[in-house]
Amino acid sequence: MLKDELPNIKTELPGPKAKAVIARRAAAVPEAIKCGYPVVINRGEGAMVEDVDGNLFLDWIGGVGVLNIGYSHPELIKAVQDQAGRYFHAMQNIITHEGFVALAEKLNAIVPVKEKKRKTMFVNSGAEALENAVKIARGSSGRPNIIVFSGAFHGRTMLTGAMTAKKAYYHGLGPLPDGIYRAEFPYLYRAPKGFTEQEAVDYYLTRLNGVFDEASPPEDIAALVIEPVQGEGGFVPVPKEWIKAARAICDKHGILIVADEVQTGFGRSGRMFVSDYWTDWGCPPDIITMAKSIAGGIPLGAVTAGASVVDKVKPGTIGGTFGGNALSCASALKVIEIMERDKLPERAQKISEKVFAEVKSWQKEISAIGDVRGIGCMLGFELIKSADKTPWADLVGATVKEATARGLLIENAGSYGNVIRFLCPLVVTDAQLERGLAILKESLKVSIEKLR
Ligand SMILES: Cc1ncc(COP(=O)(O)O)c(C=O)c1O
């Protein structure tokens, strides 16, 4: 079966059939929707993709974090088919369907926001989940402003674009919404030189408190919105001591914490959510946003918040036509059932231990590998030109190309574009893991030779 195969490239890339589709794509789809990979999918199973020319790729991008459960899980297919046979859609403001209620109940039980009485609303994407989380925080607190972070990525709508750090994306698209203030993300590897970890944490807390003096008084701040491990920003985890202190600062000022778990959620981190770790540390968030892997590839986003927070929001101000779509909810319920039953978060932890140890061991012979970091399978490593940590983005680009040519799909990340991120489906086999790591190491070495 395809899910048990290993990468195998049989044609030049793209192959002839893929080439034809890619040419049609270039003519039919805006260039602004970029794609640098020569892959046109025929079918996918587990962590494997077969392209239209019969080439087999091992996919360690997984739809950028959408496919934690892998491609074409048979039980998911069945759940969606069964639902499709009954109805596709029941508009949430008109007709109630049981699957949407059951999914809200399930998420209220497992999504670790601070308040135990929780409520969940559904949307169609990560960006929409963030938009609604901000509306909920503003609507319930009556405060206008939010704090976001350097390196943040929250989506491509106008609001989430304004919350996202890389303003190059938005050049020429403004004006962007107001009331968004940015603090420095606690990025320990790139903290000011010579700082100990504790000094770096203190420095970043000072930068957070600085927002209150420099940008907005705390009583005007509705929420602090943060990715527990930055995704696009380079797989940088929020340090434990920082979030504990940030929680205390927010509690002092009545500021809500929104954890953006769009990329980190659903088993990737070794727990269902990184916020489960935060809860163990005594600093759970007030609101959690989810999307990507929640429904295994069918579009769905969700926001879970304490009932006392979300029920202050005025009727009719949140929601949307497709929110809680029946096919998406059927799929999400099955994704969660499978993840819990098959212990995919534990599997993520096992995979992570293997990958982390392996990449760490390469550091002895490949000096370009800088920081190796992450939580569970939300892993990444920085490539640097020299001991002064100068980012080496070209090396990431070259490595991605070499790996693709050998049948391994990996992706870059990071504010400097110099991080290789690891987002492989959690159903990857041990043999695929071994082969992928071997390809990655070889691709790195070949790329260094070419670029030196
Ligand atoms: C942390 C985070 N938040 C929000 C988003 C936006 O999600 P979507 O692309 O579904 O709108 C992303 C997408 O990459 C993300 O990684």
Side-chain angles (χ1 to χ4, degrees):
M1 285 180 83
L2 176 58
K3 72 179 175 57
D4 301 313
E5 298 274 357
L6 292 172
N8 186 0
I9 302 304
K10 303 163 189 168
T11 70
E12 59 166 11
L13 293 179
K17 289 184 185 156
K19 212 178 211 165
V21 179
I22 290 169
R24 281 170 51 206
R25 172 186 169 133
V29 177
E31 275 172 35
I33 300 172
K34 297 188 297 185
C35 174
Y37 292 86
V39 186
V40 176
I41 187 168
N42 175 38
R43 62 194 180 109
E45 265 180 30
M48 295 299 298
V49 168
E50 181 190 66
D51 83 354
V52 286
D53 296 291
N55 296 303
L56 304 185
F57 294 89
L58 174 56
D59 182 357
W60 280 5
I61 306 172
V64 193
V66 170
L67 294 163
N68 288 356
I69 203 156
Y71 288 93
S72 308
H73 195 294
E75 289 174 70
L76 271 194
I77 295 173
K78 169 100 174 51
V80 175
Q81 279 174 341
D82 287 352
Q83 180 58 51
R86 295 172 61 217
Y87 52 87
F88 284 11
H89 176 67
M91 203 283 176
Q92 58 183 338
N93 300 114
I94 311 292
I95 293 177
T96 297
H97 72 99
E98 202 265 337
F100 147 95
V101 179
L103 182 58
E105 288 169 344
K106 183 67 195 173
L107 291 173
N108 293 340
I110 66 168
V111 177
V113 299
K114 191 171 162 190
E115 198 178 324
K116 293 289 172 266
K117 185 165 168 31
R118 301 159 183 159
K119 292 199 169 176
T120 295
M121 67 165 295
F122 297 107
V123 288
N124 310 296
S125 68
E128 267 191 87
L130 268 299
E131 289 258 351
N132 282 279
V134 171
K135 281 162 74 178
I136 290 167
R138 285 178 172 164
S140 77
S141 67
R143 300 177 178 193
N145 300 330
I146 58 167
I147 295 179
V148 293
F149 289 86
S150 55
F153 184 89
H154 297 294
R156 288 189 175 82
T157 60
M158 280 298 181
L159 177 67
T160 57
M163 293 163 67
T164 289
K166 259 192 191 165
K167 282 293 162 294
Y169 288 159
Y170 290 89
H171 185 72
L173 302 181
L176 296 172
D178 204 356
I180 296 156
Y181 299 106
R182 199 169 301 281
E184 245 180 286
F185 188 87
Y187 191 168
L188 294 184
Y189 182 63
R190 294 196 176 273
K193 230 179 181 166
F195 277 20
T196 63
E197 188 167 323
Q198 188 54 51
E199 284 167 345
V201 165
D202 291 343
Y203 163 80
Y204 288 116
L205 288 168
T206 309
R207 300 302 302 133
L208 174 60
N209 278 310
V211 175
F212 303 141
D213 298 327
E214 294 156 16
S216 168
E219 57 273 19
D220 281 354
I221 305 282
L224 176 155
V225 184
I226 192 160
E227 295 158 83
V229 181
Q230 281 196 331
E232 308 307 302
F235 282 40
V236 197
V238 170
K240 177 178 175 182
E241 295 310 319
W242 185 93
I243 188 62
K244 283 166 67 180
R247 179 75 261 184
I249 293 170
C250 288
D251 287 345
K252 180 172 145 202
H253 297 298
I255 297 171
L256 298 166
I257 294 184
V258 178
D260 179 355
E261 294 243 24
V262 165
Q263 195 162 149
T264 51
F266 293 94
R268 170 117 331 248
S269 68
R271 306 283 289 275
M272 275 304 251
F273 301 95
V274 179
S275 299
D276 285 311
Y277 296 103
W278 289 11
T279 303
D280 291 352
W281 304 338
C283 47
D286 302 285
I287 300 176
I288 294 180
T289 55
M290 297 151 271
K292 290 203 188 268
S293 272
I294 185 173
I298 303 203
L300 183 67
V303 185
T304 300
S308 72
V309 173
V310 69
D311 279 341
K312 288 201 189 100
V313 176
K314 285 199 191 94
T317 56
I318 55 175
T321 302
F322 285 119
N325 170 264
L327 297 178
S328 310
C329 289
S331 189
L333 279 165
K334 193 50 87 175
V335 164
I336 297 168
E337 183 191 318
I338 295 168
M339 283 193 166
E340 289 182 339
R341 185 196 64 204
D342 295 351
K343 299 193 172 20
L344 287 189
E346 283 92 326
R347 172 75 180 142
Q349 195 56 43
K350 285 257 147 38
I351 296 170
S352 149
E353 281 158 21
K354 164 95 187 144
V355 175
F356 194 83
E358 182 82 18
V359 177
K360 273 291 213 191
S361 78
W362 301 346
Q363 273 180 321
K364 288 181 212 115
E365 49 178 315
I366 307 176
S367 62
I369 299 177
D371 201 22
V372 186
R373 61 180 174 236
I375 298 182
C377 243
M378 187 89 190
L379 276 182
F381 59 93
E382 288 206 27
L383 294 179
I384 50 172
K385 276 191 181 146
S386 47
D388 68 359
K389 304 183 183 174
T390 304
W392 198 356
D394 290 351
L395 178 57
V396 175
T399 305
V400 166
K401 270 213 172 98
E402 292 292 339
T404 304
R406 292 164 174 75
L408 173 68
L409 303 178
I410 46 166
E411 203 194 6
N412 73 347
S415 300
Y416 311 99
N418 71 320
V419 173
I420 290 190
R421 61 169 127 183
F422 181 80
L423 277 175
C424 93
L426 305 176
V427 293
V428 67
T429 67
D430 289 342
Q432 288 163 351
L433 205 53
E434 291 287 347
R435 178 64 65 87
L437 284 167
I439 293 176
L440 182 54
K441 186 176 182 192
E442 188 190 343
S443 305
L444 244 176
K445 287 171 114 176
V446 169
S447 303
I448 291 170
E449 281 306 307
K450 282 189 179 166
L451 291 177
R452 282 257 189 240

